[in-house]
Amino acid sequence: VCGILILFGGFFQAFSQVEETKVLRGSIYDRGGLPVSGAKVEIIYESGLEANCSVDNEGGFACEAKSNSSFTLVIEAQGFS
C-alpha cells in the first residue's frame, strides 16, 4: 500500500466575507520521504467548479483558492492509490 504525505503552508488564515483568492501551497512526499513529481493536483469546489494547480518536479504545488468557499483537494499520482 502506497501513501502520499501532504504538507501545507501559509494558507489557513482568518477569512472575511469578501470573495478573496488565497494561495494554497504544499509538498507531496511518498512514505519514504521522497518527493512525488508528476502528480496532478486540483481543487473541486462544492459548486462543482474545478481548478488545476501548478506542480513542480520536486513535489511542490501551488493553487489559487477562493478563501470563503469549501473545496476538496484531489491529488493523483501514477503508482499511488
Side-chain angles (χ1 to χ4, degrees):
V1 174
C2 295
I4 297 176
L5 172 67
I6 305 166
L7 301 176
F8 295 107
F11 178 73
F12 299 101
Q13 300 176 4
F15 300 124
S16 67
Q17 295 294 343
V18 177
E19 182 74 28
E20 292 184 34
T21 300
K22 301 288 184 176
V23 178
L24 171 65
R25 297 180 196 278
S27 298
I28 308 166
Y29 296 96
D30 66 15
R31 286 188 178 184
L34 299 173
V36 177
S37 63
K40 177 184 174 188
V41 180
E42 67 180 345
I43 292 175
I44 302 175
Y45 293 97
E46 284 184 334
S47 67
L49 181 66
E50 297 180 9
N52 292 316
C53 306
S54 61
V55 182
D56 64 28
N57 291 333
E58 296 176 4
F61 66 88
C63 309
E64 289 189 10
K66 296 176 184 177
S67 63
N68 61 349
S69 299
S70 295
F71 62 85
T72 301
L73 184 69
V74 179
I75 301 172
E76 298 175 339
Q78 189 171 5
F80 294 90
S81 57

